[in-house]
Amino acid sequence: MKKDIVCQQEVFGVIFENIVSSPLEVKTKALAIFLFQGKPLDVSFKPIDQALDGLINNLLENKEFRGEEEETYIIPTLGKLKAERLIMVGMGKEEDFNHDTIRKAAAYLVKAIKKIAIQEYVAMMPEFVNLDEKTLARSFVEGTIMGFYDFKIYKTEEKEKNRKIETVKLMWSDNSKIKKANEGKKVGEVIANAVNYVRDLGNQPANVMTPSRLASEAQKLSEEYDNINVKIFSLDDSVKMGMNLFYAVAKGSNEPAKFIILEYNMNREDLPLYAIVGKGITFDSGGLSLKPSEGMESMKYDMCGAAAVLGIMKAAAELKLPIRLVGVIPATENMPSGSATKPGDIMRSYTGITVEIVNTDAEGRLILADALGYVSKNYKPRAIIDLATLTGACVVALGHYASGLFTKDDSLAEKIIKAGEKSGDRVWRLPLWPEYYEKIKSDFADIKNVGGRPAGAITAAAFLSKFIVNNVSWAHLDIAGTAFVDKERAYIPKGATGAGVRVIIQFLLDEIKIRNRNKSV
Ligand code: BES
Ligand code: ZN
Ligand code: ZN
């Protein structure tokens, strides 16, 4: 089914296996162990230390290896162990241990492995940490797959580099752990592969990742998964339905715009319905409110919300989540031209609100307004969550370490924040108080699309909230700072990061758990 390279990780196809063995028995090119900083050697490592004549303890005592985050140390075992090498991986201080520690350690291990050309390694699971086997296996697999990622398909020389590793084994102390570990492995594989898929979509340049290409990616998902349907509306169709804000952005571009709808499990009316909406600006030049040329190339990432929606749909189908899910992607370029929207133009939205477009570079909120109006009117989901690289102001507020969360629903906020912490795809809430709405009042229309510089991320979210009808619960994730980065860290590569996938999938998994719990009482 894989027609062309979309997700490199799947092409390289690392196989994960949960095995039961012991550090003295396991035969491998490299055995990895995980250690906390400043902690005496765990009992489970004592046999290894003895076999190596006390070398590990020595290294710890001499502070040659400290166990700090990011630290790895490779020891050739010279026949003293059946494993040819021992790789020590730091997890940082035990008191700082959190849900992300294992993911990061797994990714730093990948970096060490990449330097030595081996096809296979075994990681001894740190069963002494405060995580159940399922979560431990899931986190390790996620960190490994996300850590392997790089985008080299246009690098003529480096294309083959990643093909080296074929098998990664997770080693456990006894059989009772394997069932849960296998469950965790599967979930981790699905989620991390979806993240890497989203990264691939995001990293593609705008001449490749056009609105039509986003539509064909959606189409491919529907061919691959029986229970995903796709509907694709042209710009003409969208205008006939009344989506004039979407039209206002699309009309300046020569690339055909697409309004894409994906539905998962839609015939299962017994299942609760959720909706996700993603900003699909495949290139944001700013339109007539043209952006400065410096850094404009990064506006190819302005479709990362759309990519996240595709990744979430794919993961939901692979995990066979017992929910219904609708994904909506308004996809277009934002370009200046003779047919482009002019600052000051007024348009009527899908829901009937008139909007004065004072700045054509605030285009994301325009296309999302019609998409949010469309979903909240035509579907009655329990919640709509939109994902958008919406404002530079959000990057100023939160940097690259958390997505902005905006919602009036406190319970939804709490759930999304928790899902963010668990998944490592963190969000931070900002307010939507009535005062902010003053800023988007227009002299000539119902509202205008920009509320000035102060609180730019909030006024953008306030604008979006105006287009939700039927009182549907709604949350907005501004992923402008998290969707792409220019400095790599642990399992986050340079370029597109896949932000939004992990937090939303975790949110949905938690929702399913809550529902099952309520059903059984
Ligand atoms: N796509 C941008 C936001 C953005 C900025 C994403 C930086 C990622 C990194 C968005 O369409 C935009 O141009 N927003 C303007 C809004 C302004 C005109 C009110 C911005 O943030 O400057
Ligand atoms: Zn813009
Ligand atoms: Zn934009």
Side-chain angles (χ1 to χ4, degrees), residues 279 284 302 363 389:
K279 173 176 172 182
D284 183 9
D302 216 17
E363 84 298 337
T389 46

Side-chain angles (χ1 to χ4, degrees), residues 279 281 283-284 286 291 299 302 334 361-365 389-391:
K279 173 176 172 182
I281 296 289
F283 191 74
D284 183 9
K291 285 183 181 294
M299 284 300 115
D302 216 17
N334 183 25
D361 196 12
E363 84 298 337
R365 64 197 76 181
T389 46
L390 202 64
T391 65

Side-chain angles (χ1 to χ4, degrees), residues 72-74 87-89 106-118:
T72 53
Y73 196 104
I74 304 182
I87 307 187
M88 297 198 281
V89 183
Y108 288 120
L109 171 59
V110 168
K111 286 186 210 296
I113 292 282
K114 273 185 169 178
K115 288 187 193 143
I116 48 173
I118 55 173

Side-chain angles (χ1 to χ4, degrees), residues 293-315:
S293 50
E294 200 185 316
M296 202 201 270
E297 70 280 4
S298 72
M299 284 300 115
K300 71 170 184 177
Y301 296 116
D302 216 17
M303 38 56 73
C304 284
V309 165
L310 292 172
I312 294 162
M313 298 302 296
K314 180 178 160 75

Side-chain angles (χ1 to χ4, degrees), residues 19 23 25-32 77 81-86 113 118-123 167 169 171:
I19 59 162
E25 288 308 313
V26 72
K27 254 188 91 178
T28 173
K29 292 279 174 199
L31 171 64
T77 58
L81 288 180
K82 288 186 182 162
E84 290 175 30
R85 301 167 184 82
L86 182 73
I113 292 282
I118 55 173
Q119 278 77 49
E120 157 277 339
Y121 61 96
V122 173
T167 323
K169 292 180 183 149
M171 187 175 85

